Amino acid sequence: MKPFTYQRAGDMSSAVATVAERPEASFLAGGTNLVDLMKMEVLTPELLVDVRHLVSHQIQDLPGGGLRIGAGVSNSELAADRRVRRGYPMLSQAILAGASYQLRNLATVGGNFLQRTRCMYFRDVTMPCNKREPGTGCSARDGQQRDLAILGASKLCVATHPSDMAVAMAALDAVVHTVGPAGERTVPVNRLYRSPSDGPERDTVLDRGELITAVEIPAAPIAARSRYRKVRDRASYAFALVSVAAAIEVGDGAVSGVRIALGGVAHRPWRATTAERELFGMPATEESFRAAAEAELAAAWPLPGNAFKVPLARNTVVGMLRALTEEAR
Amino acid sequence: MSGRGAVGAPLDRVEGHLKVRGAATYANEWPVENPAYLYPLLSTIASGRVTGVDASAATAEPGVLGVLTHLNAPKLAWPNDPEVAALQSGEVAFHGQFVGAVVAESIEIARYAAGLVTLEYEKRPVDVDMRADRDDLLKPQHAAIFGSQPGDLQDGSSADSAVGDFEAGMDSAIHTLDATYSTPIQHHHPLEPHTAIAVWTDDEITLYCSSQGVHLHRTLLANAFGIDASRIRVISPHVGGAFGSKVFPVTWATLAFMGAQLVPGRPVKFALTRQQMFTLVGHRPATIQRIRLGADADGRLVALGHDVVQETARAKQYAEQTVAASRLMYAAPHRRTTTRIATLDLPVPTIMRGPGEATGMFALESAMDEFAVSMGMDPIEFRVLNEPAVHPESGLPFSSRHLVTCLREGSRRFGWEHRAPATPARSENGWLIGTGVASSTYPSPRLPGNTATIRVGADGRHTVRIAAADIGTGTWTTLAQIAAEALDVAVEDVTLQIGDTDHPLASSAGFSSGINCWGTTIHAAAGELRAALNENGGAVPDEGLEVTTDIPDNPYIAQYAMYSFGAQFAEVRVHEDTGEVRVPRLLGVFDVGRVINPKTARSQLLGGMTQGLSMALHEAAAIDPRYGHVVNNDLGGYHFAANADVGSIEVHCLEERDPYVNPMGSKGAGEVCIVGTAAAIANAVCHATGIRVRDLPITLDKLLR
Amino acid sequence: MDQEITLRVDGKEHTLTVDTRTTLLDALRERLGITSAKKGCDHGQCGACTVLLDGRRANSCLVLAVANAGAEVVTAAGLADGDELHPMQRSFISHDAFQCGYCTPGQIVSAVAMLREAEAGWPSVVSEDLDADEVVLDHGEIAERMSGNLCRCAAYANIVPAIAEVARS
């Protein structure tokens, strides 16, 4: 690790101002990803501003339904929260499918959104990587491709976003609240992540010094019967090859509401808007599910080493929707 | 417990109370005064040489005590073995090779300063292309360290063998099979990284070292540094796993020694990081294996061929006995085995649990299953039909061989008779379910270089000393049990001392030879001590009595083929949508002779089976051909089985005493359990899905429809 | 950049000076000589370094010591009461739930914390009923909840029954 100064921030505005002004500074919260990357010198901050004690650790009911989750809530606490387990089971399951209890006890909700990719070429400082060092090239694209993106990727970068939680948040239309040098603002999770073609070195639209303070999940009755399914190379404690967060409502045999988001396939949690559009009003049958999944994946741009993710994602989506509709019967 | 009941008792591990508190002292945990810390630099090219070194920034960093590279490292007396020597020239033979080191006041400073050293390289083209049709394949000449005669392979056997006329046998066959299997590079990854603390003074050099054999490591280091072995003491009472990676490689200790010479009088601590373990402590070599089988109309084998291509390193040749099991498992009048190696710009391979047999039996036992199915035969009946009366190549009788009993007993316990012969067998909630079987085998070698000392005091306590290792195998407990039985005293009256070169010579833990070698030596010493006591009228003299004995010769080695056997059964579930594989049940029945401690033996056997599961489903290094590096070089990228991957595992031992291998009646147990598991799982996957995966690991993409 | 901190480890208070870069794990092992928690991967990928950090299981390799000044840390050594082993430790011995023993302290700390989590009704990803009030710790639940602790000797088939026995009592 590069030597750094550790500062326990006194208040939010000075923390934000400090990180905004000093390019070598970084916020520290749970640290599970930051410390990991600092050890390998993938990240080399010279000042760590500890904000874990400053951000809210509360989960509050929103008037009119929904939840406001403080950015400092641990992943464990969020997954175990009764309101989440009842109202948004896909979110609880997504969190529980990620990492381990030990890590989830440390990791915060805010930090979970901002995890860096697990692309092994990004994590190896001796390899060219546009995300780590803009302009050096992408060594992953012609390298080991198993974990890489099939959707939304660019020639500049084919890395995937590793979060499970964010996939459920995307399906739930969650909105991130931030405070930055320019004040407070809100950013929908589905607009939080930047396309790699716009410069893969910046994962999100957040400005330097901008801190996630909370995330709000709107009321969504459809989410009460929802699920998260993670497909991976080991039964537990592994990142997703493909994951799916899904919820579906059926009235008179036709799809009256549906939410689908995919993980492990893109630089961001991939809200499957095409599939959702295709399904709406269609009969809730295996054929419709399959057609919708294929429509979503028509835009896939797989590499030889990750082409299997296309049928895998299709089958997982179909299987999830099938299971959810069978359950509802 | 009296001596008579000591062997065979399911005793708890004697060091268990230490391990559950974290109080067993592993190499990096010995308290030393004012240590300095070493952090290495690894090559970032796979082939070429270092042409420039700039250590000025590192040297200027506060707290840095020194920077080592090939330009200033001590010149070794034995510079050419890359598993022992380091920093002897600027040549780079693989990605992730030691090319330097920083010694500093703390871990944090050493690691950061290592990143400040800049190296310039002259690169050569990288060749890591593992193919069976390369035109530069070689017949191996591995310098055999073990084995009674020099041979081509690591176990001292020949690369090729032939009996009868293989091609004519194939031509005469009614049924034939010709299939090619492949296995990837796999890594040991004991949870304890390879670590050392070196304390180098004018009087004595002490090395706390994670080691499977303190004497072998001492000899290697003494040779490398050109010093008398008696000056070095290597201490390693507890080892946090090894699986073969702490037998031959020892460069981490070499660097610790070099670091200690740099800061005279100060202990130097060095622990490899998990990432560094991918290139510096060996790996199981990748293989490509062609199996050809021919059978008559009744399913009796008339020809058996096994042709292997293995990967090895340009830096040092390693060739293992992948073909070994095919030479002894099944009868066939016409047979051949061959071994060739592909020399690549990769790290040096080494022994890994079940070296040779683990990969070889994946191929042979998959092929046996495929062949049985293609002939419409039950896979167990097909194996039983081809059970040999004697070793098919040497003609020697087996010291004991109860493979058929293992298959039959396993079949009964597993419920094999309920197995649906057709595929898919059955389906449940979206999961296809199938079952499979495979045989297991592993030799019981006796290694030279073992001596035990037993001293009995006037108080009746017996102290048994031999520099054996406990790498999790239960040595602390089982050798005490063997000594107690041989001395006819209670286990509580035996004090065992192992893991220290101050104790008499012992072979390294490996090749399922520990109990056979160390136990036999202790048994012999106990006999001598009892004879000496008898001469003394049965009384212990006031000053005590001590005997020291070398391992006795075993005249039966030339007369019998000595192997453990087993049968492994697997139930798998394959998800219809995703191809995910789960293994809810494994069952193994083993013929490992008399069991010294059923509790620790069971753990070893089920641990091996679980590693076999891991080999089947998870483990593979991903090599990037452009750079020659291991891409997935951490435990997030290189998967081995986690708790959730493992379901029910049943282990049963036949308890048939072997009359010839050793006086205890035991055979090797540490490795037979990983041999065959992967094939049993692959066979079950095929039973469930109809898809034959011949290329490990069996990942979901290979089963996706 | 050095900073002075205090840590309470296994009931005993320590004041020490650490580099800001020092992880809690390295502070324990290299500064305080408390080696019960093990370094297996140093990246949160094996669980050997698991300790109770202010009552919850955590990977001590991924937290900075300076950021945890004043924390209460419990290692496997601190679970025992003098010579009296914790029931989980005794169960691991009687079930032979380890071989080399290197992952064991982390497994045991993790198991003790896991029982508390289950007691509190925390679900796992394999829980059939995510909203159940009571967690039934069957094989699948224990195995999933313990999957953040890798064991290369692969004692899993003994670890699960060892924990199940303590869970029952």
Side-chain angles (χ1 to χ4, degrees), chain B residues 362 365-366 435-438 568-570 572 586 676-685:
Chain B
F362 165 67
E365 290 299 293
S366 294
T435 54
V437 66
Q568 301 202 30
F569 294 75
V572 306
L586 286 176
T677 324
I681 290 170
N683 296 342
V685 165

Side-chain angles (χ1 to χ4, degrees), chain A residues 121 139 229 234-235 315, chain B residues 577 580 624 626 640 645 701:
Chain A
Y121 296 89
S139 47
R229 169 91 156 92
R234 187 159 66 180
N315 292 1
Chain B
D577 289 335
E580 293 156 288
D624 189 318
R626 300 165 301 169
F640 57 80
D645 291 293
D701 47 297

